[in-house]
Amino acid sequence: MKKLIAFDLDGTLAPSKSTLPGRMAELMNQLLKSHQVCIISGGKYELFQRQVLSQLSKNASLLTNLHLMPTSGTRYYSYDANASDWKLNYAEDFTAEDKQQIITALQEGLDESGYAVDKTYGETIEDRDSQITLSILGQEIVAELGEEGVRIKEAWDPDGSRKLKIRAIIAPKIPNFEVRAAGATSIDVTKPGVDKAYGMNKLMAATGLSMDEILFMGDKIMPGGNDYAVEQMGIESIPVRSWEDTSYAIEAIVKTA
Ligand SMILES: [Mg+2]
């Protein structure tokens, strides 16, 4: 019996950088009544607020069942019902020196790959303190262009091969860090050993749950993908292609709960 359902965010619960679709928000509110839920994503906490929390029930008894792991599990937030706010449990931040080395490698890697684009939207390299992310088309493409931005992102690297090529150029430049293909158009760098599996281990310690009580769903459960580590550590995992796939799986869980 699964007690906690964990999800990737972009491409799994919502289109890239977009808010939870109404249907998904409704299903998540239902799921939180019967299960603990964790969302673990490369995105930063502010994106969790914008994409997820803004769409969910404000009911404290539901929110206490929700665990948020932004920036690939390098940060962990849980809901403090007494304070009516989210509490940061830990953060694995880089030093200033680490950051400089990583930013240089990302910039060089993108240049050498030949995949740099002329028109970008917002920052292309974003320092999220515990994770540095290269967004090839820019962080703000969806905020600026809306659905058109989502379409451009999804069309840029539909089979993931460009991201894997860029990753293969960057990773040897910074062997002391983890480099992963992440969202539709991004590459994430974290401290070594800090990935979604690390986050899941922290989550199990915090909740007292065992591996077989957890089910995970993600759209990048493949070698080089940022969801792969969770399946590799032995957590039962369902690969999805889109939030619609995920919605059918949640519907089945909710109906049998
Ligand atoms: Mg994803």
Side-chain angles (χ1 to χ4, degrees), residues 12-31:
T12 299
L13 291 179
S16 185
K17 298 275 172 87
S18 307
T19 52
L20 290 194
R23 172 91 191 109
M24 182 57 84
E26 198 180 299
L27 284 166
M28 289 301 272
N29 286 333
Q30 286 181 46
L31 185 62

Side-chain angles (χ1 to χ4, degrees), residues 48 52 108 139 145:
F48 275 57
V52 180
E108 285 177 5
Q139 288 296 329
L145 301 184

Side-chain angles (χ1 to χ4, degrees), residues 8-12 182-183 196 219-220 226-227:
D8 162 55
L9 175 52
D10 280 359
T12 299
K196 290 190 183 184
D219 72 323
K220 291 286 184 293
N226 68 345
D227 296 322

Side-chain angles (χ1 to χ4, degrees), residues 18 26 30-31 64 80 82 89 91 140 166 168 172 205 227 236 252:
S18 307
E26 198 180 299
Q30 286 181 46
L31 185 62
T64 49
D80 180 345
N82 293 322
N89 294 292
E140 300 299 331
I166 299 173
D227 296 322
E236 203 173 322

